[in-house]
Amino acid sequence: MSAPTIAIDRRPLPGGFLDDLSALFGERVHTGEAMRLQHGQSETHFAPALPDAVVFVRSTEEVVALVKLCAAAEVPVVPFGAGTSIEGNALPIAGGVSVDLSEMNAILTVNQEDLDCTVQAGVRREQLNEHLRDMGLFFPIDPGANATIGGMASTRASGTNAVRYGTMREAILSLRVVTPDGRDIRTSRRARKSAAGYDLTRLYVGSEGTLGIITEITLRLHGIPEAISAAVCPFETLGGAVDTVVQAIQLGIPLARVEILDAMQMMAVNRWSKLDYPELTTLFFEFHGTPDHVAEQVRLVGELAAANGGGDFQWSNRPEERSKLWKARHEAYYAAVNLRTGAVGWATDVCVPISRLAECIAETRRDLDGSDIPATILGHVGDGNFHVVFSIDPHAPQEMEEVEAINRRLVARALAMDGTCTGEHGIGLGKQAALVDELGDAVDMMRMIKRALDPKDLFNPGKIFAL
Amino acid sequence: MSAPTIAIDRRPLPGGFLDDLSALFGERVHTGEAMRLQHGQSETHFAPALPDAVVFVRSTEEVVALVKLCAAAEVPVVPFGAGTSIEGNALPIAGGVSVDLSEMNAILTVNQEDLDCTVQAGVRREQLNEHLRDMGLFFPIDPGANATIGGMASTRASGTNAVRYGTMREAILSLRVVTPDGRDIRTSRRARKSAAGYDLTRLYVGSEGTLGIITEITLRLHGIPEAISAAVCPFETLGGAVDTVVQAIQLGIPLARVEILDAMQMMAVNRWSKLDYPELTTLFFEFHGTPDHVAEQVRLVGELAAANGGGDFQWSNRPEERSKLWKARHEAYYAAVNLRTGAVGWATDVCVPISRLAECIAETRRDLDGSDIPATILGHVGDGNFHVVFSIDPHAPQEMEEVEAINRRLVARALAMDGTCTGEHGIGLGKQAALVDELGDAVDMMRMIKRALDPKDLFNPGKIFAL
C-alpha cells in the first residue's frame, strides 16, 4: 500500500555515534532490522520510516544523557511509547534514534487525598487503572488503545470520557520534560491551579515530541463513582440523536460518556459481534454519580430521547449488563475494518461545534455513500468529535487516493463550520496541510516557538509542520 | 507608601511618535497627567509607573495599526483592561503606550446550542452575565472584581467557582491575538477540543500581555442551574473544615463553590457587616443542579460537616436567604482591609495540594499572629488556593517591609509543599523571584519563547520575568 510521505532529508549518522550510544546504553541499543521496523511503522496507513537505532531508556537522567549526545552529534530524536498513534506521529522520517520509553513504566506516587498521581511516561493507561482500582480511584481518559500516558500527553489524547472529565489538556497537572538543550525541567508544581508564568504544561501537551521528551506526568484522578449506569437508544433521525445530547448538556446533566454510531456502523457491529441492534443511528450513554443522581440522569435522558424520536431506551446498572450494552461500541473499530475480508483500517477525525454536528455527519455520510469503499461514522457526540473509519483494500492504491480525497473534503467541511481538522488524533504527518488551512498565520507562531526551543530541528523533525 | 520596583530602563519616545499616534487615533490619544496616572497605578501597593501616552482602541484592526507603529518606533506596549489586577500586572514600568481596551466592549456572538460566546477583550464579567441571563446561560469565572474578560484571560484568573467550572485556562476556547510582529491571529477554532498543533490558546492565557494583545475571546458558557443552594458552617478546627471538603470531593460531590474564612476573617466581617457569626474557621458552600440533586448534595455535605466537628449547618435555596448567608464572604476583602481605620489592603495568594492546605494555613496563621499587622486568611479551599489580606498603614514603610518578609515566607512554605507562588493573581511585578524559586530552569524556557515572539521586548516589558 502506498502512503503519503513528507519530503525530509534523511541525515546520515556521524561516524562513531553508534559507539558512543553503546558506551552509554550497552545492550539497550538496537540496530537490527526487526526492532527498527517495529519502531518505524505505525498501526495505520503510513509508509514505514525506520530509525537508525532504537534505545530503551530507564530514567530521566538517561534521557538527558541521550539528548545531549544526540544534540552534539545533530542526530534526530523521536520518542516512542506504545506506537498506537494514528497520524504517523512517532515515525522517524528523518532517521536518527527512536527513544523507547516503555521500560519507564513505574507509577511513582499516588496521592489519594489530592486525587493525583505521578507516573513515568511509559506507563500504560490500563496498567494505571488496575493499580488505582483498589484505592477507589480511576484515570478517566480513554482513547481506546492501551496507549502510554506519555504518548497520550504528546498527542493531547481524549476519547469517550472527555465530555465529562476533559482531555489530556485538563487531566495533566505537571510534566517532567527533557528539553532539546538537555535540561531536565518540571513545567509546573502539583497544585490544582496556578497563575505562575507561561503555561509550559499545556505547551508540551499535544506537541508530539517536537519540543522535547516527556518523561514523567502528574495526572488528576477521580473517585470511582458509587453508581454507574449504561444506556443504549436508537433514533429515527440523526438530528434527533444529536438534539437529545445538546438538550442534556444544556440541562447540565453530567453525561460521563455519550457515543454516536451511524447506521452503517451498527450494521458492521451486528455482523462482526453477532448482535441484532436496529441498524439506525444509535446513542450509547454512561452515567456516573450517587445511585439517586444516576437514576435521575437516566430518567431525564430517557425522557429527552423519547421526545426526540428515540426508540427502545435500554439501560442497566449491572456491570455485566452494562458491558453487554456497550459491546457494540467497544468492538466498533474492528467491526468497521472487517466490513471487507483482508481489508485494513484508515481512520480520521474532526471536531465541530455541536450545533453543526448533525449537518456535518449527514453531509459526510452522503459523501461516503458516493464511494464503493465501506466506511462508518462514530463519535464522541458530546464534544462534537467524530471519526470516519474506512475499510480499504491494501492492494488497491486508487482506494488510498479516494480516501484521501474524501478526507480532504471532510476537513474542509469541518473547517467551514468553525471546527478543527483533528479533535484527538493530532497532526503528525497526515494533517499538516489541514493545520495551515485551519490556523493560517498562527502556524508561523508555532514555528517560531519550535525554532526557539529546537533550533537544529532534531526533535521529531517534520511532524506537525515542516520547518 | 514605598513599594518594590523592578529596575528597567525607561526608554524615551522617538521624535514624531506622538504625532504619528495622533494621526491614527486623533482625540483617543491622551498624554495628560490624570489619564496617564489612572493607567499608571494599580489597586494595590505598587509604586505608580506612568505610560507616555494612553490610547483607546476600538477594533482589532486598530490594535494591529498601533502595534505596527510601536514596533517600528520600538515603543513599549502595555494592554490595560479594568486595572483590577493585584500584582502590578498592567503597570507600564518602561513607559510607552498603555492600550486601553475598555471601549472594545461588544458581545459579538452567543451560541446557545454550543454554550459558547465570543466577546471583545474590554467586556466586563458582570456585563456579560447580565447579557446572558435571559438566555438561561452564565459565565462562571468570578475573581471578585468586575474585571474585563481580556484581563482575566491575561492573568489566568479564577475565583470562587473554579472548583466546579475551572479557571480561565479551561473556560477559553479560542483567542484572537495581535502578535508582537503585528499579525492578527486566531489561536484555535470554536470546537470544544482539538489536537491541532501547539496549544497557542493556553500559551496566551496567563501571559500577562507579554506576548501580544488579546482582542477577542471565545468562552465556554454553562446553563444556569435549575436549583441553587447555599450553606454556611463553622468548624471547631481548621483540619475538620478542610477534611470535609476533601471527603466531599473524593465522593464526587460537584461543589460549585466552597470558601474558607479563618477566625480573624470572621471577626472582621462580623465587625464590618454587623453580623454575629461564630468567630471560628467557617466554610461557605454553593450547590448547583436539579432540585433533587442539590438536596442530596446539601444532605451529604451536612453529614460530612457534622462528622468533622462542624457546628450549625445553615442552608437555604431561596435567593435572598442565600445572599444573606454569603454576605460575609462577599464583604470579606473590605472587612479585612478595614480592620484598621485609614489602612490599605495588601493581598497575596498561594495554592498547594489540598492534602497540605490545613498545615499551610495553620503555619501561615502562626506567622501572621507574630506580627502586629492585622491579616486575615480566606480561600478557595476546593482548589487548595488561599489569600492573605493585610491591613497596612500606608504611612509606615516598615509595615511594607514586614509584609514582604511574611509573603516571602508564605511562598517558601507553599513551594516546600509542592505548591505554587500564585494560584490566580499572576506574577506581574510582585512574584518574579518566587517564580524562579518555583520553576527554576523552566523560567528560561519562558524567556526563550518570549525572545522568539517579542525579540525587542516591547510587550509589557519587565513583567513575569526580566529578559
Side-chain angles (χ1 to χ4, degrees):
Chain A
M1 177 165 55
S2 77
T5 47
I6 303 286
I8 190 160
D9 287 340
R10 209 182 157 85
R11 310 168 202 179
L13 287 186
F17 176 77
L18 288 175
D19 294 336
D20 293 342
L21 207 55
S22 293
L24 283 174
F25 295 97
E27 293 185 351
R28 288 184 281 130
V29 177
H30 298 264
T31 53
E33 179 79 9
M35 186 65 88
R36 289 167 57 225
L37 183 60
Q38 191 204 316
H39 291 74
Q41 62 191 358
S42 77
E43 291 196 353
T44 55
H45 56 276
F46 294 93
L50 273 54
D52 294 299
V54 177
V55 176
F56 287 78
V57 289
R58 290 188 180 157
S59 69
T60 299
E61 291 71 22
E62 284 194 353
V63 175
V64 169
L66 177 62
V67 161
K68 286 183 173 169
L69 181 66
C70 290
E74 302 195 8
V75 169
V77 182
V78 182
F80 186 94
T84 53
S85 60
I86 306 279
E87 292 290 355
N89 316 64
L91 289 178
I93 56 170
V97 176
S98 176
V99 185
D100 190 309
L101 291 120
S102 62
E103 293 183 6
M104 286 184 67
N105 62 351
I107 296 166
L108 300 172
T109 55
V110 178
N111 300 294
Q112 292 186 255
E113 269 195 301
D114 295 319
L115 295 176
D116 69 36
C117 69
T118 298
V119 303
Q120 288 185 313
V123 167
R124 299 239 189 172
R125 183 175 68 76
E126 292 178 4
Q127 170 197 355
L128 177 59
N129 274 321
E130 278 160 30
H131 183 85
L132 295 171
R133 192 172 299 129
D134 289 346
M135 305 178 202
L137 301 176
F138 80 114
F139 170 65
I141 318 285
D142 175 3
N146 188 16
T148 63
I149 303 296
M152 289 169 64
S154 293
T155 55
R156 204 181 294 128
S158 50
T160 53
N161 272 313
V163 61
R164 165 81 169 259
Y165 297 98
T167 72
M168 288 303 277
R169 188 172 74 195
E170 288 78 30
I172 294 180
L173 288 172
S174 177
L175 296 170
R176 187 173 178 183
V177 175
V178 178
T179 66
D181 53 5
R183 295 168 207 239
D184 172 7
I185 65 165
R186 270 182 79 195
T187 57
S188 181
R189 294 299 187 104
R190 200 162 58 79
R192 286 263 139 173
K193 66 183 194 187
S194 175
Y198 301 165
D199 192 344
L200 296 177
T201 307
R202 252 51 58 179
L203 179 64
Y204 275 95
V205 173
S207 64
E208 302 188 15
T210 62
L211 300 176
I213 298 182
I214 295 169
T215 62
E216 292 178 13
I217 303 102
T218 300
L219 296 166
R220 297 177 73 135
L221 303 173
H222 297 265
I224 294 174
E226 198 184 345
I228 301 176
S229 281
V232 177
C233 184
F235 285 79
E236 288 164 20
T237 64
L238 171 63
V242 173
D243 284 349
T244 299
V245 177
V246 168
Q247 291 160 15
I249 291 172
Q250 282 177 329
L251 284 176
I253 299 171
L255 304 168
R257 287 184 157 114
V258 55
E259 298 284 299
I260 195 165
L261 277 66
D262 82 345
M264 175 78 104
Q265 180 67 64
M266 292 305 293
M267 185 269 281
V269 290
N270 276 346
R271 198 191 285 187
W272 176 253
S273 305
K274 306 202 171 25
L275 296 169
D276 57 355
Y277 280 109
E279 294 181 0
L280 297 170
T281 300
T282 302
L283 292 181
F284 289 73
F285 296 95
E286 196 169 275
F287 306 96
H288 294 179
T290 59
D292 284 356
H293 189 216
V294 164
E296 184 186 42
Q297 293 177 58
V298 170
R299 179 177 58 75
L300 290 171
V301 170
E303 289 170 8
L304 290 175
N308 285 295
D312 185 23
F313 184 85
Q314 295 183 51
W315 72 275
S316 176
N317 51 19
R318 291 172 40 221
E320 325 77 62
E321 278 290 314
R322 282 176 6 222
S323 300
K324 209 170 134 194
L325 285 179
W326 268 69
K327 184 173 163 65
R329 173 62 188 91
H330 288 309
E331 299 182 350
Y333 180 77
Y334 294 103
V337 174
N338 284 284
L339 279 168
R340 291 201 289 187
T341 310
V344 298
W346 199 107
T348 185
D349 88 306
V350 295
C351 186
V352 296
I354 199 169
S355 63
R356 309 300 297 273
L357 182 63
E359 183 187 355
C360 194
I361 290 178
E363 286 183 18
T364 303
R365 185 71 260 170
R366 277 194 291 277
D367 198 11
L368 298 175
D369 289 345
S371 164
D372 290 331
I373 302 171
T376 67
I377 292 177
L378 69 165
H380 315 309
V381 58
D383 303 319
N385 181 206
F386 69 93
H387 302 262
V388 178
V389 179
F390 298 90
S391 171
I392 64 174
D393 177 350
H395 307 295
Q398 75 282 5
E399 290 204 356
M400 176 71 83
E401 281 169 34
E402 190 178 343
V403 165
E404 281 168 7
I406 293 171
N407 190 34
R408 281 193 296 273
R409 291 195 293 272
L410 170 62
V411 167
R413 187 178 304 122
L415 295 185
M417 295 175 178
D418 212 359
T420 175
C421 67
T422 173
E424 57 186 21
H425 292 175
I427 299 296
L429 290 170
K431 292 255 172 92
Q432 298 194 4
L435 177 66
V436 175
D437 290 343
E438 178 170 334
L439 294 177
D441 262 10
V443 181
D444 282 336
M445 306 297 291
M446 298 181 195
R447 286 198 179 91
M448 290 161 81
I449 293 166
K450 167 78 170 170
R451 277 196 201 97
L453 300 188
D454 180 22
K456 291 181 180 163
D457 194 18
L458 297 179
F459 283 72
N460 204 4
K463 302 299 167 59
I464 304 183
F465 43 73
L467 262 197
Chain B
M1 178 164 57
S2 77
T5 47
I6 302 287
I8 190 159
D9 287 339
R10 209 183 157 87
R11 310 169 202 179
L13 289 187
F17 175 77
L18 288 175
D19 294 336
D20 293 343
L21 208 55
S22 294
L24 283 173
F25 295 97
E27 294 185 351
R28 286 184 282 130
V29 178
H30 298 264
T31 54
E33 180 78 10
M35 186 66 87
R36 289 167 57 225
L37 183 60
Q38 191 203 317
H39 290 74
Q41 62 192 358
S42 77
E43 292 196 354
T44 55
H45 57 277
F46 293 94
L50 273 55
D52 294 299
V54 177
V55 175
F56 286 78
V57 289
R58 290 189 178 155
S59 69
T60 299
E61 291 71 22
E62 283 195 354
V63 175
V64 169
L66 177 62
V67 161
K68 286 185 173 170
L69 181 66
C70 290
E74 301 195 7
V75 169
V77 182
V78 183
F80 186 94
T84 53
S85 60
I86 306 280
E87 292 290 356
N89 315 65
L91 288 179
I93 57 171
V97 176
S98 176
V99 185
D100 190 309
L101 292 120
S102 62
E103 294 183 6
M104 286 183 67
N105 63 351
I107 296 165
L108 300 172
T109 54
V110 178
N111 299 294
Q112 292 187 257
E113 267 197 301
D114 295 318
L115 296 175
D116 69 36
C117 69
T118 299
V119 303
Q120 289 185 313
V123 166
R124 299 236 188 174
R125 182 176 69 75
E126 292 178 3
Q127 170 197 355
L128 177 59
N129 274 321
E130 279 160 30
H131 183 85
L132 295 171
R133 192 171 300 130
D134 290 345
M135 305 178 200
L137 301 176
F138 80 115
F139 171 65
I141 318 286
D142 175 4
N146 188 15
T148 62
I149 302 297
M152 290 169 64
S154 293
T155 54
R156 204 181 295 128
S158 49
T160 53
N161 271 314
V163 60
R164 165 81 170 259
Y165 298 98
T167 72
M168 287 303 278
R169 188 171 75 195
E170 288 78 30
I172 293 179
L173 289 171
S174 176
L175 295 170
R176 187 173 178 182
V177 176
V178 178
T179 66
D181 52 6
R183 294 168 208 240
D184 172 7
I185 65 165
R186 271 182 79 193
T187 56
S188 180
R189 295 297 187 105
R190 200 162 59 80
R192 286 262 137 174
K193 68 183 193 188
S194 174
Y198 301 165
D199 192 344
L200 296 178
T201 307
R202 253 50 60 179
L203 178 65
Y204 275 95
V205 173
S207 65
E208 302 189 15
T210 62
L211 300 176
I213 299 182
I214 295 169
T215 62
E216 291 178 13
I217 304 102
T218 300
L219 296 166
R220 297 177 73 135
L221 303 174
H222 296 266
I224 295 174
E226 197 185 344
I228 301 176
S229 281
V232 177
C233 184
F235 284 80
E236 288 164 22
T237 63
L238 172 63
V242 173
D243 284 350
T244 300
V245 177
V246 168
Q247 291 161 14
I249 291 172
Q250 283 179 329
L251 284 176
I253 299 172
L255 304 169
R257 288 184 156 114
V258 55
E259 298 284 299
I260 194 165
L261 277 65
D262 83 345
M264 175 77 105
Q265 180 68 63
M266 292 305 293
M267 186 269 279
V269 291
N270 276 346
R271 199 190 285 186
W272 175 253
S273 306
K274 307 206 171 20
L275 296 167
D276 58 354
Y277 279 108
E279 292 179 1
L280 296 171
T281 300
T282 301
L283 291 181
F284 290 72
F285 296 95
E286 197 169 274
F287 306 97
H288 293 177
T290 58
D292 284 356
H293 189 218
V294 165
E296 185 186 42
Q297 293 178 59
V298 170
R299 179 177 59 75
L300 290 171
V301 171
E303 289 170 9
L304 291 174
N308 285 295
D312 184 24
F313 185 85
Q314 296 182 49
W315 71 275
S316 176
N317 52 19
R318 291 172 39 222
E320 325 77 62
E321 279 291 314
R322 281 174 11 220
S323 300
K324 208 170 135 194
L325 285 179
W326 268 68
K327 183 172 163 66
R329 173 62 187 94
H330 287 309
E331 298 181 350
Y333 180 77
Y334 293 103
V337 174
N338 284 284
L339 278 167
R340 290 201 289 186
T341 310
V344 298
W346 199 108
T348 185
D349 89 306
V350 296
C351 186
V352 297
I354 198 168
S355 63
R356 309 299 298 272
L357 181 64
E359 185 186 353
C360 194
I361 289 178
E363 287 183 17
T364 302
R365 184 72 259 171
R366 277 194 291 278
D367 199 11
L368 298 175
D369 289 343
S371 163
D372 291 330
I373 303 170
T376 67
I377 292 178
L378 68 166
H380 315 310
V381 58
D383 303 320
N385 180 207
F386 69 93
H387 302 262
V388 178
V389 179
F390 297 90
S391 171
I392 63 174
D393 177 349
H395 307 296
Q398 75 282 7
E399 291 204 357
M400 176 72 83
E401 281 170 32
E402 190 178 345
V403 165
E404 281 168 7
I406 294 172
N407 190 35
R408 281 194 295 274
R409 292 195 292 273
L410 170 63
V411 167
R413 188 177 304 122
L415 296 185
M417 295 176 177
D418 212 358
T420 176
C421 67
T422 172
E424 55 187 22
H425 292 175
I427 299 297
L429 290 170
K431 292 255 171 93
Q432 298 195 4
L435 177 67
V436 174
D437 290 343
E438 178 170 335
L439 294 178
D441 263 10
V443 181
D444 282 337
M445 305 298 290
M446 297 181 196
R447 286 198 179 90
M448 289 161 81
I449 293 166
K450 166 78 171 172
R451 277 197 201 97
L453 301 188
D454 179 24
K456 291 181 179 163
D457 195 18
L458 297 179
F459 282 73
N460 205 4
K463 301 301 167 58
I464 305 182
F465 43 72
L467 262 197

